[in-house]
Amino acid sequence: MSHGPRSGLAAVSSALLAMSRHLEVRDVLKTIVASARELLDAQYAALGVPDDHGGFAQFVVDGVSDAQWKAIGPLPRRHGILAAMLDDAAPQRLADVRRDPRFEGWPSAHPDLVDFLGLPIRDGDEVLGALFLANKNCPKPDGACGFTEDDEELLGILAQHAAIALTNARLYERSRELTIAEERSRLAHELHDAVSQKLFSLRLTAQAAARLVDRDPARAKGELQQVAELAAEAADELRAAVVELRPAALDEDGLVATLRTQVQVLDRAHSARVTFTGHGVRALPAAQEEAVLRVAQEALHNALRHSGGTHVDVTLERRGNGAVLRVGDDGGGFDPHTVRRAGRHLGLVSMRDRASGVGGRLTVESAPGKGTTIEMEVPGG
Ligand SMILES: Nc1ncnc2c1ncn2[C@@H]1O[C@H](COP(=O)(O)OP(=O)(O)OP(=O)(O)O)[C@@H](O)[C@H]1O
Ligand SMILES: [Mg+2]
């Protein structure tokens, strides 16, 4: 290096600090490349993060203008000396890269690289990428300077810190993706449990109204009234799901009254007899009430849609500080073990998640030919 030892150390230190200041992977990569080029006084620097298909997921350069970069064309493949750094994880220090037997040429707009220093960026056994420099600036024109052993050592230190910065940035991006995925899954469950159930009842009520219109206009009018109410409720549920509110009815009327009303609505909308019984249940913590309501909605929905039964009974009773919800039907039943977790069936998964999310427990008792009973216990406050 051309700096004295003290200023050299300061330069390294500020480069390392700059790397860890960024959270986005791309910014980290850019800082690493720019620092490496400056510290080792080279004309060009680059960093490539390989993908799984023989190419690069990311490739960042420093010392090349945008116009030049565009003219060079597509990103390099993993071949020749790049492949040696990535696949064998071996450092490469070459006086003239063009004379190396592995050199396979470059596109016409590519700058002419002569002396070359490249190192893998490793995290344990995993090679995260390759960091490399070319054309060390020589104090005397045309002098044969090239990269030294000291340069290689310094680049090694940079590469180690680059590995840490890169791993951190990846973790950060991953955690952000997870937050988004969790939010999507919450919304999907909410829409599934509350909104689609309301729409299902709405459709049935509208069909009933259509059948009654000629024969019994007065009753058709009543059904249409019901359609309007269900549509309003669906709109409320939708809004609540989007802004993460709990259903308004729970705050206004409490769990027991809310369940009773919903059961009455379903009883009217479907041909099966739907009943509700509540026994001495005290108010539960808000999250538990909401979970019980959602599970009841989905269990009712499943019973009415899949069971083919003539009776669906909902009971809610006190147990200790908490409560037990039971939704039973006298329909055809099913084998819970054959329902796969993944795929289109969200209901059973969602019910289990909601129960465990509030420290509760959910059991599904069903067998082909016998009805189904869903039981959920929540601990209370
Ligand atoms: N009460 C029930 N009676 C008979 N079969 C049921 C009952 N509840 C669930 N099933 C069966 O279990 C399957 C899975 O139910 P689940 O609620 O997970 O998904 P789904 O109702 O098919 O779809 P989604 O709830 O995502 O709209 C159903 O497709 C049905 O075959
Ligand atoms: Mg379902």
Side-chain angles (χ1 to χ4, degrees):
M1 274 200 318
S2 52
H3 316 275
R6 194 174 286 274
S7 72
L9 195 58
V12 173
S13 153
S14 78
L16 299 183
L17 283 176
M19 276 183 211
S20 52
R21 203 171 296 132
H22 295 285
L23 287 173
E24 312 278 334
V25 172
R26 185 135 195 111
D27 293 338
V28 171
L29 297 180
K30 276 192 192 154
T31 317
I32 294 169
V33 176
S35 307
R37 186 166 85 90
E38 199 182 305
L39 282 175
L40 280 89
D41 200 15
Q43 208 177 347
Y44 303 109
L47 195 165
V49 175
D51 62 18
D52 300 329
H53 319 292
F56 286 92
Q58 273 158 319
F59 200 91
V60 177
V61 294
D62 197 56
V64 177
S65 74
D66 288 349
Q68 239 178 319
W69 179 240
K70 243 171 114 175
I72 297 172
L75 293 183
R77 308 289 303 162
R78 288 169 63 170
H79 61 98
I81 293 149
L82 291 183
M85 281 187 285
L86 292 167
D87 301 336
D88 311 336
Q92 304 288 325
R93 183 152 58 91
L94 308 166
D96 190 339
V97 67
R98 298 163 304 179
R99 297 236 179 93
D100 192 276
R102 293 162 298 182
F103 179 66
E104 295 172 26
W106 40 55
S108 58
H110 197 285
D112 214 18
L113 309 186
V114 186
D115 44 324
F116 181 95
L117 175 62
L119 281 170
I121 298 173
R122 304 165 52 152
D123 179 22
D125 287 340
E126 194 194 352
V127 176
L128 303 177
L131 179 58
F132 47 98
L133 297 160
N135 299 8
K136 190 171 172 75
N137 291 317
C138 290
K140 16 182 180 104
D142 243 21
C145 49
F147 295 101
T148 63
E149 228 177 286
D150 282 353
D151 289 335
E152 187 173 329
E153 198 179 324
L154 180 57
L155 195 63
I157 294 172
L158 275 181
Q160 280 173 27
H161 285 267
I164 299 169
L166 206 53
T167 305
N168 279 346
R170 281 190 174 168
L171 284 176
Y172 171 77
E173 287 193 354
R174 178 94 191 99
S175 78
R176 232 178 28 176
E177 280 161 18
L178 275 179
T179 314
I180 293 169
E182 275 164 14
E183 174 57 16
R184 282 183 54 146
S185 136
R186 180 195 69 77
L187 200 55
H189 282 198
E190 212 76 20
L191 293 177
H192 166 272
D193 295 355
V195 182
S196 74
Q197 194 244 12
K198 283 274 183 319
L199 293 176
F200 181 62
S201 301
L202 196 150
R203 215 171 68 203
L204 288 181
T205 313
Q207 281 164 0
R211 276 195 305 272
L212 286 168
V213 139
D214 296 324
R215 198 157 34 90
D216 191 345
R219 265 183 67 201
K221 212 168 160 183
E223 294 288 326
L224 284 174
Q225 188 63 38
Q226 188 77 41
V227 165
E229 276 167 32
L230 282 168
E233 282 170 23
D236 282 349
E237 293 279 14
L238 190 58
R239 201 183 48 103
V242 171
V243 299
E244 206 169 353
L245 294 174
R246 74 196 213 112
L250 273 184
D251 288 325
E252 284 157 20
D253 311 324
L255 178 60
V256 170
T258 304
L259 273 175
R260 180 172 291 122
T261 313
Q262 299 209 349
V263 163
Q264 281 165 1
V265 170
L266 292 173
D267 188 38
R268 265 183 282 160
H270 297 263
S271 58
R273 181 97 181 90
V274 191
T275 64
F276 174 76
T277 333
H279 290 300
V281 179
R282 295 187 300 194
L284 299 165
Q288 292 181 33
E289 291 202 336
E290 195 180 331
V292 169
L293 178 64
R294 294 303 188 214
V295 167
Q297 285 174 330
E298 171 58 11
L300 275 161
H301 192 35
N302 277 351
L304 292 166
R305 197 154 56 121
H306 303 303
S307 82
T310 54
H311 286 81
V312 183
D313 298 318
V314 181
T315 60
L316 185 69
E317 53 190 47
R318 185 173 157 186
R319 183 179 293 173
N321 282 333
V324 177
L325 167 82
R326 223 172 271 118
V327 180
D329 66 61
D330 60 353
F334 69 108
D335 180 359
H337 300 292
T338 62
V339 179
R340 267 192 260 123
R341 256 190 86 88
R344 290 176 306 107
H345 306 295
L346 201 53
L348 291 169
V349 176
S350 173
M351 288 196 281
R352 291 214 165 84
D353 285 355
R354 286 198 192 270
S356 64
V358 294
R361 197 176 47 78
L362 187 108
T363 53
V364 179
E365 210 174 287
S366 188
K370 316 203 165 145
T372 301
T373 301
I374 303 282
E375 191 181 286
M376 178 198 199
E377 180 174 355
V378 291

